Amino acid sequence: MAKEDYYELLGVQKGVTAEEMKKAYRKKAVQFHPDKNPGNKEAEEMFKKVSHAYEVLSDPDKRAAYDRYGAGAFEGGGGAGPRGPAGGAGGFHDPFDIFREVFGQQGGGGGGGGIFDEMFGGGGGGRDGGRDGADLRYDLEITLEEAAKGVEKEISFRKAMACERCDGSGAEPGSKKITCSTCRGAGQIRRSGGIITFTQTCPTCGGAGVKVEKPCTACRGDGRVAKNTKLNVRIPPGVDTGSRLRSSGNGEAGQAGGNPGDLYIVLSVKEHEIFERQGEDLFCEIPIKFTLATLGGTIDVPTLNGKASLKIPAATPSGTTFRLRSKGMPSLRGGHQGDQLVRVQVEVPQSLTSEQRKILEEFARVSGDAAEPTSRSFFEKAKKFF
Ligand SMILES: [Zn+2]
Ligand SMILES: [Zn+2]
């Protein structure tokens, strides 16, 4: 499901008049109508999307709500917005494909499937005559340490919640529900565009067939009001940038008995000063003295769990990579831990005291022309150039 804007679907600008929008809709509806495109799934899909977009935008209240929540319904934490009320497209940017990509790359290393699979099921339209609430997205940035150990975070955001005054019904307490005059209670209306007739969900009552006699004064008949809310979310160890968590039922409230939407938490892991993540492994580069590289010894290496010691054998060339088993990131599915890879960079002294210089000059003198194996083989090959 790609990012889709209702206005874009209809091919109009945001400030378009109702009349112009109707025209644009007619044109699209005729273009994609199933009768004109028999067996064409894409056209059928477009027809549904366009109809749904028009259904929302042709209703002044719904259009206002769409304009208002279409982007940035959350304070902080990045952009968020509702998906279409019937599971269609809307301000929910960033398709699910991104998630799959991220986990696809990790392949056998871990990540594919597992606990996140269930996220992609379900969704869908209103049940029981009501409208399901929109799904929401919250972008959350965490540190590498938090991603390694898991963390609980409190997030706060704004969303449409059931109105307390009318208990979500949209009707002013004491008032009755009356049959919708637009569809005469059918919930659907027939539209005719020249030779074509088709039915669509009634835009006045949203398919319920009834509407309230007197709209609730607190929510103006919507049944919901936008409120700030807080939620504790548990981030499991092993997540990576692009991981999504679904918090079921914590999206926007449904209307007229519809189910609430879901909240998707999309994670990004901050860059770390020392470690670079490579799947489940962590990579770092550590400078060592040329004397240590030559003579061998032990160094302290930072890990996500404090210090570890690493034995450097004598005669270690610069660029050698050592592996610290199970000091990397945990697998999202559990049971496995990546490694930490340490590449040593042999440092050349940048300034020498006169004593150091004397000793090194002496070292050079006693070494004479004796060369190490790598230079020997190099100069063998390079002979013809000299
Ligand atoms: Zn209300
Ligand atoms: Zn109706």
Side-chain angles (χ1 to χ4, degrees):
M1 187 177 10
K3 162 198 134 159
E4 272 160 316
D5 182 278
Y6 288 176
Y7 292 102
E8 270 173 37
L9 274 171
L10 294 172
V12 293
Q13 299 289 320
K14 213 174 170 190
V16 71
T17 65
E19 198 50 44
E20 284 167 332
M21 186 151 59
K22 197 173 184 178
K23 259 191 218 157
Y25 165 61
R26 281 236 169 101
K27 232 168 96 184
K28 296 269 179 193
V30 170
Q31 184 188 347
F32 296 116
H33 196 279
D35 288 355
K36 279 193 122 187
N37 304 275
N40 183 340
K41 281 267 166 234
E42 264 172 54
E44 193 187 324
E45 204 42 47
M46 273 308 288
F47 180 73
K48 281 184 196 155
K49 284 180 184 167
V50 164
S51 302
H52 177 70
Y54 183 67
E55 193 184 316
V56 172
L57 295 183
S58 58
D59 179 308
D61 287 343
K62 284 177 200 153
R63 183 174 173 181
Y66 177 77
D67 289 347
R68 191 151 49 109
Y69 293 121
F74 291 142
E75 307 166 334
R83 236 165 45 160
F92 193 91
H93 300 289
D94 191 3
F96 290 156
D97 301 355
I98 286 180
F99 176 84
R100 295 213 181 89
E101 269 167 33
V102 168
F103 281 81
Q105 277 164 12
Q106 294 190 349
I115 60 167
F116 292 104
D117 266 359
E118 52 168 324
M119 286 206 254
F120 303 103
R127 279 172 285 269
D128 314 321
R131 278 167 179 258
D132 289 353
D135 290 339
L136 293 175
R137 169 189 171 139
Y138 189 95
D139 292 316
L140 182 61
E141 193 180 52
I142 59 171
T143 64
L144 185 67
E145 285 85 350
E146 288 170 337
K149 291 176 181 119
V151 64
E152 191 165 318
K153 291 265 181 189
E154 187 189 71
I155 60 173
S156 54
F157 54 99
R158 198 168 172 79
K159 71 171 182 181
M161 294 168 88
C163 172
E164 280 168 23
R165 181 174 172 83
C166 62
D167 207 17
S169 72
E172 181 71 2
S175 80
K176 289 189 196 66
K177 290 209 167 184
I178 53 169
T179 304
C180 171
S181 54
T182 308
C183 62
R184 296 193 203 89
Q188 287 194 321
I189 51 166
R190 289 177 72 78
R191 281 191 184 273
S192 154
I195 49 162
I196 302 160
T197 11
F198 52 92
T199 56
Q200 68 167 181
T201 306
C202 172
T204 308
C205 62
V210 289
K211 59 180 190 176
V212 298
E213 188 184 32
K214 207 175 152 208
C216 164
T217 49
C219 62
R220 285 185 289 162
D222 187 69
R224 307 178 305 171
V225 283
K227 277 187 192 160
N228 292 322
T229 183
K230 283 181 179 165
L231 185 71
N232 280 316
V233 292
R234 170 102 208 119
I235 315 291
V239 293
D240 203 347
T241 293
S243 297
R244 288 165 180 271
L245 301 165
R246 184 174 74 170
S247 184
S248 187
N250 278 316
E252 298 209 297
Q255 283 173 291
N259 298 313
D262 296 329
L263 172 69
Y264 289 87
I265 295 140
V266 182
L267 297 167
S268 61
V269 179
K270 270 184 226 166
E271 226 170 83
H272 195 273
E273 275 182 299
I274 294 174
F275 300 112
E276 191 186 301
R277 185 170 179 170
Q278 295 174 348
E280 285 173 15
D281 292 336
L282 290 176
F283 175 84
C284 70
E285 237 171 38
I286 294 184
I288 56 171
K289 289 198 167 74
F290 79 98
T291 42
L292 181 86
T294 310
L295 304 170
T298 304
I299 57 167
D300 281 339
V301 171
T303 74
L304 283 181
N305 289 302
K307 276 193 300 196
S309 60
L310 175 65
K311 205 171 160 265
I312 308 290
T316 292
S318 190
T320 305
T321 301
F322 297 93
R323 186 177 286 267
L324 295 169
R325 296 256 169 232
S326 302
K327 299 279 187 201
M329 299 295 285
S331 160
L332 197 52
R333 285 184 288 189
H336 180 261
Q337 186 107 11
D339 301 330
Q340 181 173 328
L341 303 171
V342 180
R343 182 154 74 196
V344 294
Q345 287 295 0
V346 175
E347 270 188 316
V348 174
Q350 297 301 297
S351 63
L352 293 173
T353 64
S354 57
E355 191 192 359
Q356 287 171 325
R357 176 173 290 277
K358 234 163 84 188
I359 293 169
L360 280 181
E361 279 168 357
E362 180 65 8
F363 176 81
R365 192 184 62 80
V366 299
S367 302
D369 283 340
E372 298 305 326
T374 11
S375 13
R376 262 209 306 276
S377 97
F378 171 78
F379 286 115
E380 222 27 68
K381 283 179 243 168
K383 241 178 205 160
K384 60 177 174 221
F385 296 101
F386 292 128

